[in-house]
Amino acid sequence: MTGEEETSAQAATSATTTAKPAKKLRAATASITDTKPAALPPADASTSAEVPDLRGKSVWVVDANSLIFQVFHAIPEMTSPRGEPVNAVFGFTRDLLMMLDKQKPDYLFCAFDTAEPTFRHTLFEPYKGKRAEMPTDLAPQFEIIERMTAALGVPRLRLPGYEADDVLATVARIADEQGGECYLVTADKDCRQLITERVKIYNVRKDIVYNAAALKEDWGVRPDQVVDFQTLVGDSVDNIPGVPQIGPKTARELLEKFDTLDKLLERVDEVAGDKKRENLRNGREQAMLSRQLVRLDTHTPVPIDWAAGQAGRLNVPALIELCGEYGFHRFADQFRALQQAATPAVWEANYQLVDTPEAFAALVKKLAERKVLSFDTETTSVNPTQAEIVGYSFGWAPGEAAYVPVRGPAGAKLIAPEVALAALRPLLEDATIKKIGQNLKYDMLVLRTQGVELQGLAFDTMVASYLLEAGERNHNLDELSARYLNHKTITIDELIGSGRNQKRMDEVDTQLVSDYASEDADVPVRLLPILQQKLAEAQLEPLFQSLEMPLVEVLAELEFNGIRVDVPRLKALSDDYGGRLVALEKEIYELAGHSLNINSPKQLQQVLFTELNLPVQSRTKTGPSTDADVLEALAHLHALPRKILEYRQYAKLKGTYLDALPTLVNPRTGRVHASFHQAVAATGRLSSSDPNLQNIPIRTDAGREIRSAFLPGRDDWLLLAADYSQIELRVLAHYCRDATLIAAFERDEDIHTLVASQVYNVGLDAVTREMRRAAKAVNFGIIYGQSPFGLAKALDIDQTQAAQFIDAYFARYPGVESFLSGVLKDCRAQGFVSTLFGRRRAISGVRPDAGRQRNLAERTAINTVIQGSAADLIKQAMIAIHARLRRETWQAKMLLQIHDELIFEAPPEEIDRLAAMVREEMAGVRELAVPLKVDVKTGHNWADTESYA
């Protein structure tokens, strides 16, 4: 199998019963528990135990809160299959596994803060008073992280009234006294006071150990001077006062001369500078308080179970379950490998290599008698329209499969390609023989290029898995085999190698390919009853049979048709963009005052925030952010950020489309054949790749220039574009039944234009395209829970105005707010949301008191209902249009689907009839509370077909 499955393709066992050795997780594992997944270790280490002899042992203690905040801000938004935010969970788990694997600690603990005030708040109520509230999408991840650390066998240490830093300090003291090496995994500089010869700080991001020498180079002080140093300097983040006007440089100089704070205060008259002496005298009491706040407590009564802290006591079944629950497939594979190594699974199989005329004839006869067949192809390329067939595999019962090689290495016994195709064609084109498989669209396309139309598509395991677990990021066959059959398949890399040593499939020994390919046909046979039952239980079988399976054939048609591109036009645009980039480069150099590497974030940070002194908007682990949002915010203050944004846009479009598209043209057809994926977007939307047509800017001049290079297949033909008008708002109106919103659509008013006139306080006729585009963002922003702060930023207005606008919006459309609240209430009660056609997505994390400002899970729930319903509508329309194009007499072809738009090519004499048919099918696909409106336009290229709406 190739295509979407090539990157993680499957390989079979031998033709006999086989138990494959599992790859080992490199992390040291002291013991692997066989406890059932539900039986996790206790939530906290709650028993004291005698401290063991730690000489020669390494003790690692993670400042959990510090690490969690680090990874939350460093890792982009991630969601679990149920829509929960999990980026911090993923990053925290990854870092713990890295420590277990690479550092191989003897003991490992995680220290957590508690919700209760600490003794420092008793001393100084404003302590840490300036800390921002925890981000909405981070709070629910703490509970998951604790479940994960429990399954990893890492005790969680915490003590009410104390901070995690105090717990670290206590463990560090004990380890040091007992002769152990202690490593504190934290970004908190307070812990520098704990450094000794045996206690060090580990920076997990940089993978470096921070010791006394590093401290001396950094702050110019010894570890025993850290408390005094921080006392003098203070800490604005933690709201520690310090001594007024004493900065790091002055503090270092004072401690160099006086050694300690006590001696400094005793000899304050010797300090140079009247103001400095006065501040030290007047700030004595404040300094004493600050020192109490800074100094960590090394003798907290935190209970420590040292036996439980021995690293590597993994609860593997629990880890596999948790990783599956939250979508961490790579981690799950690692843990399954551990489990399988301990208890190898038996995979009984009878796989046949059919490489003689007699055996082939017997196989064809056997297959012709079957009512259901699992089918797969092996090919020379991941590109189905350019691939050559290497062999065919068939499965008909669990463990029963065969492989027919038609290409192979020199000397291999093969069935002649033309002989095999001629004998198999009647089976493959017989609609009464039902075909099952994984990613059958790829095999359909491969056969279509050979003049064979695969008929009788009945069940695609990838599509079924996607319907069942829409939030999962992985639906390939090896994942499904591991998840449902507890069987690990061999990867494509194990069969053909990788890098310089990689072979083509037809260069691999045919017996090895036979084992691999036969398993590809066998696994779907075994999955079929399992997935069928799950679809029935989830009430998804009607959607699977009436929408998703018929869509496979439609998408194969689109990919086979492809679309013609004007290569000379692309070359001319590439040259033009190259000139624009050179000109922009010069402008950027002039604005910056010197040349620089525009693609270097480090150099941009220097220019923007140091040389031009522009305000920092947000930070990353490498310094101030220079991403697009930051540059947009800074563009109001200086011309340089806007020019950088413009440069980035042209550079991206040139590289992604103008230079790349010509390389994607099929030399046989002269067209690009984009891949359309129905098992990627959790909402049900289709996505595309090679090229990704959905990322071409729609309304910009640059985007229109690129679209102008997409042409009909013949010079005398036309392209036709049919686009749903405001489909998501119409779906919203159908659901919410808001009288004002429905009336507006019945009057055929443009909702975005209407909102734009209200936002910008202009008449409907005065609304510009840019105003309407901004209003469109406002409409969806408010629906999906945009805050007054976010709306104010988007519209460049103050937050009070933004809040008033949000209030006015919901006052105007009261049914909208009622519907959105109902979606969240039902989601919380049921654990899932559904679309118009019954598509489901499991979602967790909806709050009982969710308001207008929504967390990630709440935004996901609403987005799935609205966007998912819109996606179902256009899919159903595509199926209906495809059927009519096949059933009736047409030269016209459907070529592309981009979100809510379909692109066709047709001769001029068919255009009027095609426009009427497409509009009829799209508008009539489902009766809603408001009419579905379809905008149709034609042109000699894609840019000409773009409609205003």
Side-chain angles (χ1 to χ4, degrees):
M1 179 176 293
T2 50
E4 292 176 34
E5 288 297 295
E6 184 71 22
T7 55
S8 55
Q10 325 308 314
T13 61
S14 65
T16 57
T17 299
T18 309
K20 296 183 214 169
K23 293 180 181 178
K24 293 182 179 178
L25 181 69
R26 291 188 301 149
T29 52
S31 66
I32 301 172
T33 66
D34 294 321
T35 311
K36 295 290 184 184
L40 295 177
D44 293 283
S46 59
T47 59
S48 297
E50 184 178 343
V51 180
D53 184 355
L54 297 178
R55 287 174 294 183
K57 304 292 185 181
S58 62
V59 179
W60 288 66
V61 199
V62 178
D63 182 348
N65 291 69
S66 172
L67 183 56
I68 290 167
F69 273 87
Q70 275 185 50
V71 294
F72 175 78
H73 291 292
I75 297 175
E77 186 177 276
M78 286 176 64
T79 57
S80 74
R82 293 186 311 237
E84 303 153 287
V86 291
N87 59 335
V89 183
F90 173 82
F92 192 84
T93 305
R94 176 201 61 194
D95 286 349
L96 283 189
L97 286 174
M98 181 276 295
M99 281 179 249
L100 284 166
D101 177 22
K102 185 175 180 180
Q103 307 301 340
K104 296 181 173 55
D106 295 300
Y107 295 87
L108 178 61
F109 300 93
C110 281
F112 285 83
D113 288 326
T114 66
E116 295 85 358
T118 69
F119 69 88
R120 294 180 179 86
H121 293 94
T122 304
L123 289 170
F124 186 55
E125 188 176 345
Y127 176 66
K128 290 192 175 180
K130 295 181 180 178
R131 288 282 177 99
E133 287 187 18
M134 184 179 294
T136 304
D137 289 334
L138 176 57
Q141 299 191 58
F142 273 80
E143 181 182 351
I144 307 172
I145 286 170
E146 297 218 16
R147 292 178 64 198
M148 193 68 76
T149 55
L152 286 166
V154 180
R156 282 91 66 219
L157 307 178
R158 53 161 57 86
L159 190 64
Y162 296 88
E163 295 181 59
D165 286 351
D166 298 311
V167 175
L168 263 68
T170 300
V171 177
R173 174 189 58 78
I174 294 171
D176 194 10
E177 290 175 352
Q178 297 299 317
E181 291 282 329
C182 186
Y183 294 88
L184 308 174
V185 184
T186 182
D188 197 324
K189 294 179 180 178
D190 291 350
C191 287
R192 295 181 178 186
Q193 63 187 267
L194 304 173
I195 293 173
T196 68
E197 286 188 11
R198 285 194 288 265
V199 178
K200 303 172 182 67
I201 295 172
Y202 177 67
N203 186 316
V204 71
R205 297 278 71 83
K206 297 179 180 179
D207 188 26
I208 59 172
V209 172
Y210 191 92
N211 56 18
L215 173 65
K216 187 70 175 177
E217 184 176 344
D218 193 3
W219 280 357
V221 298
R222 305 184 307 272
D224 62 290
Q225 293 177 309
V226 166
V227 171
D228 290 348
F229 177 86
Q230 291 182 292
T231 297
L232 289 165
V233 173
D235 188 338
S236 60
V237 175
D238 287 347
N239 213 23
I240 294 175
V243 176
Q245 297 182 6
I246 300 291
K249 181 181 177 183
T250 302
R252 182 180 65 247
E253 291 172 348
L254 291 171
L255 290 175
E256 279 179 358
K257 180 175 181 180
F258 297 100
D259 194 55
T260 69
L261 175 63
D262 290 332
K263 291 179 181 177
L264 167 62
L265 295 177
E266 286 174 7
R267 299 161 54 190
V268 70
D269 292 339
E270 299 176 31
V271 174
D274 294 343
K275 188 64 176 175
K276 200 180 299 180
R277 283 195 304 275
E278 182 182 351
N279 286 337
L280 284 166
R281 287 195 187 101
N282 296 338
R284 175 185 292 270
E285 186 176 333
Q286 189 166 290
M288 293 300 100
L289 171 63
S290 296
R291 184 156 65 176
Q292 286 181 281
L293 297 174
V294 166
R295 181 176 284 130
L296 300 179
D297 190 335
T298 60
H299 288 78
T300 66
V302 61
I304 304 171
D305 188 337
W306 288 91
Q310 292 181 71
R313 305 172 72 86
L314 308 183
N315 185 338
V316 173
L319 287 166
I320 293 172
E321 182 174 291
L322 285 168
C323 290
E325 185 177 347
Y326 296 107
F328 303 151
H329 299 294
R330 181 164 56 86
F331 298 155
D333 287 343
Q334 290 178 288
F335 297 128
R336 285 194 194 99
L338 275 176
Q339 190 176 54
Q340 290 165 357
T343 56
V346 175
W347 182 258
E348 295 185 357
N350 178 29
Y351 297 155
Q352 305 166 30
L353 172 59
V354 180
D355 57 2
T356 67
E358 296 79 13
F360 179 60
L363 176 66
V364 172
K365 182 179 180 181
K366 178 190 287 188
L367 296 177
E369 297 170 352
R370 312 302 298 192
K371 297 295 184 184
V372 179
L373 287 176
S374 178
F375 172 66
D376 190 30
T377 58
E378 300 307 330
T379 66
T380 57
S381 171
V382 298
N383 187 327
T385 60
Q386 299 186 40
E388 297 287 346
I389 297 176
V390 175
Y392 308 84
S393 59
F394 298 89
W396 52 88
E400 297 289 331
Y403 173 67
V404 181
V406 299
R407 286 182 174 80
K413 288 195 295 182
L414 305 168
I415 305 300
E418 62 278 6
V419 171
L421 194 63
L424 294 172
R425 180 191 296 271
L427 300 171
L428 298 172
E429 294 189 336
D430 187 343
T432 65
I433 301 176
K434 301 305 179 185
K435 314 301 189 306
I436 67 174
Q438 170 82 3
N439 188 22
L440 285 168
K441 174 167 65 71
Y442 177 85
D443 304 299
M444 289 189 75
L445 282 163
V446 169
L447 291 173
R448 186 84 177 268
T449 61
Q450 302 297 318
V452 175
E453 292 210 21
L454 185 64
Q455 299 287 330
L457 266 68
F459 200 95
D460 191 313
T461 50
M462 180 181 74
V463 175
S465 171
Y466 167 68
L467 266 189
L468 289 166
E469 299 285 355
E472 284 281 357
R473 290 179 285 276
N474 194 340
H475 302 280
N476 60 33
L477 201 60
D478 56 346
E479 171 62 27
L480 301 187
S481 177
R483 189 186 309 165
Y484 294 114
L485 304 175
N486 194 30
H487 172 65
K488 184 184 182 304
T489 56
I490 302 170
T491 66
I492 187 68
D493 288 347
E494 292 174 293
L495 183 74
I496 65 175
S498 59
R500 274 184 258 176
N501 298 321
Q502 188 179 83
K503 297 179 180 179
R504 286 201 336 177
M505 189 68 78
D506 55 356
E507 296 173 333
V508 179
D509 179 83
T510 54
Q511 181 60 61
L512 295 176
V513 178
S514 176
D515 295 341
Y516 166 85
S518 296
E519 187 177 59
D520 273 359
D522 181 20
V523 170
V525 173
R526 303 188 196 221
L527 288 172
L528 178 63
I530 299 171
L531 296 178
Q532 282 179 322
Q533 181 180 347
K534 288 185 175 292
L535 286 171
E537 290 171 351
Q539 301 176 12
L540 289 169
E541 200 166 26
L543 182 67
F544 178 75
Q545 294 295 347
S546 66
L547 189 76
E548 293 296 346
M549 280 308 298
L551 188 68
V552 173
E553 182 181 333
V554 179
L555 298 182
E557 177 77 18
L558 264 62
E559 292 188 25
F560 181 78
N561 290 338
I563 188 167
R564 179 182 163 210
V565 295
D566 186 343
V567 175
R569 167 72 171 154
L570 291 170
K571 175 66 168 63
L573 284 173
S574 179
D575 292 341
D576 179 47
Y577 279 34
R580 296 187 201 185
L581 287 169
V582 170
L584 281 168
E585 198 173 67
K586 290 181 180 177
E587 290 183 63
I588 288 170
Y589 292 169
E590 289 176 5
L591 289 167
H594 57 79
S595 63
L596 71 150
N597 180 354
I598 302 170
N599 297 314
S600 167
K602 202 72 180 172
Q603 292 191 31
L604 288 182
Q605 291 169 4
Q606 173 67 24
V607 171
L608 294 172
F609 305 114
T610 302
E611 297 174 17
L612 296 180
N613 201 29
L614 294 174
V616 173
Q617 304 294 306
S618 61
R619 290 185 176 275
T620 68
K621 61 182 181 181
T622 60
S625 174
T626 58
D627 65 14
D629 288 342
V630 167
L631 295 179
E632 286 281 3
L634 296 176
H636 300 288
L637 305 175
H638 198 280
L640 180 59
R642 175 64 59 196
K643 289 298 177 183
I644 295 170
L645 280 170
E646 195 176 347
Y647 179 92
R648 285 181 179 176
Q649 182 195 37
Y650 280 115
K652 181 179 180 180
L653 293 177
K654 183 177 186 298
T656 304
Y657 295 106
L658 301 180
D659 297 338
L661 277 171
T663 69
L664 297 174
V665 174
N666 186 311
R668 182 175 57 81
T669 66
R671 296 175 175 234
V672 292
H673 300 264
S675 294
F676 291 92
H677 311 290
Q678 68 186 113
V680 175
T683 57
R685 267 191 168 187
L686 297 175
S687 61
S688 69
S689 64
D690 303 315
N692 181 353
L693 301 170
Q694 296 172 341
N695 280 355
I696 300 175
I698 296 175
R699 304 302 179 197
T700 67
D701 290 339
R704 281 188 285 275
E705 287 174 335
I706 293 171
R707 288 180 177 224
S708 71
F710 288 81
L711 309 172
R714 290 172 46 174
D715 290 340
D716 58 341
W717 282 28
L718 294 169
L719 291 180
L720 181 146
D723 184 23
Y724 276 125
S725 171
Q726 303 177 89
I727 183 65
E728 292 183 23
L729 286 181
R730 290 173 190 270
V731 168
L732 174 66
H734 170 78
Y735 270 120
C736 75
R737 296 298 204 272
D738 182 89
T740 304
L741 195 57
I742 289 176
F745 278 124
E746 287 176 342
R747 292 192 299 268
D748 198 23
E749 291 181 349
D750 185 309
I751 303 299
H752 299 319
T753 300
L754 184 64
V755 171
S757 71
Q758 297 166 347
V759 171
Y760 294 101
N761 196 28
V762 298
L764 292 174
D765 294 340
V767 173
T768 65
R769 180 180 294 182
E770 289 70 26
M771 288 179 182
R772 183 185 180 278
R773 186 167 63 246
K776 184 176 180 180
V778 168
N779 269 328
F780 292 117
I782 291 175
I783 292 167
Y784 296 128
Q786 190 172 39
S787 66
F789 173 80
L791 184 60
K793 185 177 178 182
L795 297 180
D796 196 21
I797 59 178
D798 64 48
Q799 287 191 51
T800 301
Q801 287 178 282
Q804 290 171 349
F805 181 79
I806 292 173
D807 290 339
Y809 181 94
F810 284 117
R812 182 178 179 84
Y813 306 114
V816 172
E817 187 159 31
S818 176
F819 161 69
L820 298 177
S821 298
V823 168
L824 299 181
K825 181 180 178 181
D826 290 346
C827 180
R828 181 170 173 82
Q830 300 171 163
F832 65 87
V833 291
S834 301
T835 68
L836 276 172
F837 286 72
R839 182 184 307 278
R840 289 186 179 187
R841 184 176 182 187
I843 294 175
S844 298
V846 173
R847 298 166 297 176
D849 56 347
R852 289 178 180 173
Q853 295 178 38
R854 318 204 192 282
N855 65 21
L856 179 58
E858 292 152 4
R859 295 194 303 272
T860 301
I862 292 168
N863 184 52
T864 299
V865 173
I866 297 174
Q867 195 178 95
S869 295
D872 288 346
L873 286 168
I874 197 164
K875 283 180 176 180
Q876 195 68 61
M878 292 169 70
I879 293 168
I881 293 167
H882 173 75
R884 288 192 61 175
L885 289 173
R886 287 247 165 160
R887 186 173 65 247
E888 301 170 2
T889 304
W890 293 94
Q891 297 180 70
K893 296 178 181 179
M894 184 160 44
L895 306 181
L896 304 176
Q897 191 263 30
I898 312 296
H899 296 315
D900 307 321
E901 180 181 34
L902 298 177
I903 306 295
F904 303 82
E905 64 179 10
E909 62 271 20
E910 286 187 358
I911 286 295
D912 290 343
R913 187 163 65 103
L914 178 64
M917 185 270 282
V918 169
R919 182 178 276 119
E920 176 188 347
E921 295 298 342
M922 290 180 69
V925 69
R926 178 87 174 238
E927 186 175 343
L928 301 184
V930 296
L932 287 173
K933 182 181 178 182
V934 181
D935 296 317
V936 177
K937 200 172 181 184
T938 64
H940 292 284
N941 61 61
W942 192 4
D944 287 348
T945 66
E946 288 190 2
S947 62
Y948 176 78

